[in-house]
């Protein structure tokens, strides 16, 4: 929980420059959590990593929804499986 809050705080301070005009960009939160974890685990004898620069370097494009494409997750429901055969 603390790591998530720390990563959320660090990503809110990162300014993302829009490299090209095709897509807006967002922070890759998975990489941000790993960078923050590395930062918190760094020892006093080694220099800490530049967290904001590493988060800014790992960004993802936000692609718009194309015509004819749905923005829904493809979730299939599964039938119920009985476990009566285990009771013997």
């Amino acid at each position: 929980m603390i790591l998530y809050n720390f990563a959320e705080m660090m990503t809110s301070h990162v300014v993302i420059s829009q490299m090209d005009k095709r897509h807006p960009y967002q922070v890759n939160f998975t990489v941000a959590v790993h960078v923050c974890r590395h930062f918190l685990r760094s020892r006093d004898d080694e220099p800490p990593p530049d967290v904001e620069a590493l988060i800014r370097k790992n960004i993802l494009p936000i692609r718009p929804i194309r015509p004819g494409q749905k923005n829904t997750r493809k979730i299939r429901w599964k039938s119920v499986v009985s476990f009566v055969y285990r009771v013997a």
Side-chain angles (χ1 to χ4, degrees), residues 21 37 42 51 68 78 85:
K21 301 299 179 188
R37 183 173 157 227
S42 64
V51 176
K78 294 184 179 181
Y85 67 91

Side-chain angles (χ1 to χ4, degrees), residues 6-77:
F6 183 69
E8 186 73 33
M9 183 184 67
M10 292 306 290
T11 56
S12 67
H13 286 62
V14 173
V15 177
I16 300 172
S17 61
Q18 302 299 324
M19 291 184 258
D20 61 355
K21 301 299 179 188
R22 290 191 342 184
H23 304 293
Y25 288 91
Q26 66 182 357
V27 172
N28 187 346
F29 197 74
T30 304
V31 173
V33 169
H34 286 290
V35 168
C36 291
R37 183 173 157 227
H38 179 67
F39 172 77
L40 292 173
R41 285 187 169 188
S42 64
R43 299 201 171 128
D44 293 335
D45 57 344
E46 61 186 35
D50 187 6
V51 176
E52 291 183 6
L54 288 172
I55 292 173
R56 193 179 306 116
K57 188 174 133 181
N58 294 298
I59 56 175
L60 298 171
I62 302 173
R63 294 190 172 89
I65 300 172
R66 297 184 181 117
Q69 180 183 9
K70 295 180 182 177
N71 193 17
T72 58
R73 293 173 51 194
K74 295 180 175 91
I75 300 175
R76 295 182 189 173
W77 61 276

